[in-house]
Amino acid sequence: MTTPFSDDSLLPKPAPAMPVSPHGGEYLLRSERALWGRRAAVASDVSSQLIEAIENLRDAARYNHFGKCNEGEDFFTGLTLVLNSLTSQWTEQSSRADELSLACTRAAGDIEDADSSGAARLEG
């Protein structure tokens, strides 16, 4: 079969094989925007759930329901300290989840841009 171009550029060419992972041929390396979008959505969801949990924790230690006796006051003080510590940790984790969500969103765009740029260079 002959084509108008000597390099056969009009003939259909098979898609190049996906790169093989160092872990073996059964693993393929992929850079799909949708997967990074899902990762970003999961991280954002985790952040939202942590914020909701923080609000619920704050309600739990708003009042001393354990009595005005020494034991009740001491227990409430200890509970408040623990819940404040937990709230602080969850606030930090929520912030980190938000940062991860943004990083995944940026990664999706960066990978797509790199793929598009590479494809344009291969075509050109």
Side-chain angles (χ1 to χ4, degrees):
M1 172 177 185
T2 60
T3 63
F5 303 101
S6 62
D7 66 348
D8 292 332
S9 61
L10 294 181
L11 292 176
K13 296 183 181 176
M18 291 293 291
V20 177
S21 167
H23 302 289
E26 66 271 12
Y27 299 98
L28 297 179
L29 303 177
R30 298 176 191 255
S31 58
E32 297 180 14
R33 182 179 185 90
L35 292 176
W36 284 101
R38 285 187 209 141
R39 290 177 183 112
V42 168
S44 180
D45 189 40
V46 166
S47 177
S48 298
Q49 289 180 9
L50 282 170
I51 289 170
E52 183 179 332
I54 289 167
E55 291 170 4
N56 291 336
L57 266 183
R58 287 188 182 136
D59 289 341
R62 197 169 300 251
Y63 302 105
N64 180 358
H65 299 281
F66 308 106
K68 296 292 181 185
C69 60
N70 288 338
E71 294 84 1
E73 294 288 343
D74 289 346
F75 183 79
F76 180 69
T77 300
L79 178 64
T80 302
L81 290 172
V82 168
L83 293 180
N84 286 342
S85 174
L86 189 57
T87 298
S88 175
Q89 291 173 22
W90 285 357
T91 300
E92 181 182 337
Q93 294 299 321
S94 175
S95 295
R96 292 179 70 189
D98 278 335
E99 291 170 10
L100 179 60
S101 177
L102 291 173
C104 288
T105 301
R106 281 192 302 269
D110 291 348
I111 289 171
E112 186 174 54
D113 290 346
D115 286 348
S116 297
S117 174
R121 281 188 298 221
L122 290 174
E123 289 176 355

